[in-house]
Amino acid sequence: MFLRTITTPVTDLKGVGPATAKAFAVLDIRTVADLLLHAPRSYEDRSTPVSFAEGLSGRTVNTECTVIAHDWFGFGRKRTLKVWAEDQSGRAALNCFGRNFLEQKLPEGRRVRLYGQFSYRFGEIQASVFDFTPIDDPGDTIPEDFTGLLPVYPATADLSQKAIRSALHQALNRFSSAIEDELPPSCSGGEPQQKAQLLNSLHFPSSMDEALEARRKLAWEELFFLQLGITRRGLAQRNTSRKRRPSAGKLAAAVIDNLPFSLTPDQEGVLEDIRQDLSSSRAMARLIQGDVGSGKTLTAFLAACETIEAGEQAAFMAPTELLARQHAENAAKLLEPAGIRLALFTGSVTGDARRLLLEELKSGHIDLIIGTHALFSEEVEFRQLGLAIIDEQQRFGVLQRLALTGKGDQPDMLVMTATPIPRTLAMTVFGDLAVSRIHTMPPGRKPVITHLAAMGKEEKVYHWLEKEVEAGRQAYCVYPLIQESSKLDLKDAEGMYEALRKRFPGCSIGLIHSRLREEQKIETMHDFSAGAIQILVSTSVVEVGVDVPNATCMVVEHAERFGLSALHQLRGRVGRGRYQSYMFLVYSPDLADEGKQRLKVMKEHSDGFLVAEEDLKIRGPGNISGVEQTGFLKLRFADLVRDTDIMLTARDKAAAILAEDPGLLQPENSLLRRVIQRTAAYEED
Ligand code: ADP
Ligand code: MG
């Protein structure tokens, strides 16, 4: 069978009980197929020895050492064991937080193989996270965990690496022989693909080379099927031409006349690109790339004006209800005075209001509808959808956008993203999309000043924040968790909401995160926009699109837990008005050099494209990830930034096959046809 058709639930595996299954479900892993598709984020090389001293250059220690003494620190319930160990390079302290029972397991004189992350703090080399196995007796066998390459998976606080590895071991043992190849040999270099073997090599490689090779091959397959899909749709689209009525640009001119500012040259350029597209006999398919706040949305509204003036309707899709609402409020200010009839459509529009709205849309009484993915739903019908605008494309899949354009007859499509990806890549990923870029920000914006602060120095940051708030400005404080976790020693939004209320007694403080009810979120955001809330405590839900020009401070604690592109998005929430704005990145004092270097990139670069490039340079080739970073598609193996070359060969191959055999009807393409039919491989989840 094909990998994606293995629907056996993970609970069929030994050791996966209800609790583990629940933890897996958080990662969207329900079936054995989901599990096998859960690619390692990186590998820990436990085969090469690294001493305490060498470990300080940002590498993970992997050493043999002897326990030389025990110490205790703290009092009462917080009394904590500290074990001193020594290897050939010197000594180091093992802080046993919550693990005082190690007193017996690590007696003086014991020799152990030790694996952990060490740093230099308080005048000593120390670690709080470490793993060990005794090696006193010559007969002691060192378990594989300490000698080989260990896969490290994206996990959650409730799911250990061990549990994931064990489940994967079983899944491979049980299903390897059943997994069929999905590529014919002609598509895998003349040799059989051996998909099961590739999965084994990906999850449990015996060398880094083996792991990288397997990942490359799986990525090729993935991108090949993606390109096969995109190219097939592209061919279908190219064969039909778009009927249109002209627009004289009057509506757009009226809206522009009403703006309190003039368009930036880049905005004018994009608008010109769009007008060119709209005068052609093919449907427009264009991507606008530009940093947060560069004015993409306004440009898209102006494109909608052209469509509406030509007598057609436009749809604007945003990734969250919050954003849809904000866009609608903006549109009301900008477009309604020019006579455009607009409506907001989300999951929370229900009952009669929903029915009425859908009727008006169908009869053409609404010119522009702004909404969430609810716009995809079947009941949504247009009189004549002429333009589909999709904001923050990375939140939606490539195929999802096609679902929206399916609601019209060859509608034009405009996609916007703030995720900086190289132009060549954008063109390949989106296959048929042309790209326009906005490089410059609207005038008068002062770049946000970014400061780094080690944890322990937050008070300085809070003091700064206090001064800004006293001056009438507003602030965001962002945390990696919603609630306190027993497993992770991290600050959480709910706890800090309470803590900050005590720290800033005179201030009005709000809390927002994804678990709150939609109405509550909307109310809180409204209060923050209106200035009634001065400090907004949140998780990264504020990442996209929120626009409050009076907010000047963005404090992110445990900044090392966030990706650079997420931090860049967060930074885009401030510096939107005329005031100098600041971002404070508070990081853990345990942070290794590489982590600090990443945060420094934020301090040194304000251009999102540069941030992305620098991030890429730092992520070494051993670190197999990036899918979450780009987040464009739910790709399992391919990294859209790093795998450009793979993408290009996969695209050429797909195009060549389809040029010969558009319907994949030839016998040599029967396997491809079967894969496409049997597994909705890259349909959206
Ligand atoms: P994006 O969609 O790229 O994040 P927006 O279109 O939301 O950016 O613009 C961000 C803010 O900048 C909005 O408040 C918008 O009104 C304002 N803005 C847009 N274009 C200009 C311009 N040319 N000059 C001044 N302000 C602008
Ligand atoms: Mg935006």
Side-chain angles (χ1 to χ4, degrees), residues 41 53 127 155 163 190 207 277 295 307 346 405 462 471 499 523 530 539 556 577 643 659 679:
R41 172 159 54 78
S207 71
D277 291 344
T307 303
T346 66
T405 53
Y462 297 157
E523 193 183 317
T539 54
V556 183
D643 295 335
T679 71

Side-chain angles (χ1 to χ4, degrees), residues 447-467:
V448 177
I449 296 175
T450 302
H451 291 293
L452 307 187
M455 239 166 95
K457 305 235 167 78
E458 306 88 302
E459 187 44 42
K460 272 191 168 164
V461 174
Y462 297 157
H463 187 66
W464 194 301
L465 193 147
E466 192 164 38
K467 293 221 315 251

Side-chain angles (χ1 to χ4, degrees), residues 233-298:
R233 285 167 203 265
L235 287 177
Q237 197 182 359
R238 218 155 299 151
N239 292 333
T240 30
S241 71
R242 168 87 153 87
K243 294 184 240 4
R244 34 173 113 249
R245 271 174 289 175
S247 141
K250 282 195 201 131
L251 207 46
V255 170
I256 293 172
D257 271 353
N258 257 331
L259 292 174
F261 47 74
S262 47
L263 297 183
T264 64
D266 282 357
Q267 282 173 318
E268 303 254 17
V270 175
L271 197 56
E272 193 42 49
D273 289 344
I274 291 171
R275 285 184 167 140
Q276 289 271 341
D277 291 344
L278 295 186
S279 65
S280 114
S281 64
R282 275 193 56 198
M284 169 168 77
R286 182 166 291 277
L287 173 73
I288 308 180
Q289 274 187 299
D291 237 333
V292 253
S294 60
K296 299 182 294 294
T297 309
L298 175 62

Side-chain angles (χ1 to χ4, degrees), residues 66 154 177 336 350 366 454 466 484 520 609 618:
T66 309
S177 56
E336 269 177 353
T350 52
I366 293 171
E466 192 164 38
E484 190 174 355
Q520 219 172 335
F609 288 89
I618 296 170

Side-chain angles (χ1 to χ4, degrees), residues 291-293 296-297 323 327 391-392 416 418 544-545 573 576:
D291 237 333
V292 253
K296 299 182 294 294
T297 309
L323 280 171
H327 285 317
D391 189 18
E392 302 296 350
M416 298 185 283
V544 220
R573 299 303 110 227
R576 297 176 78 87

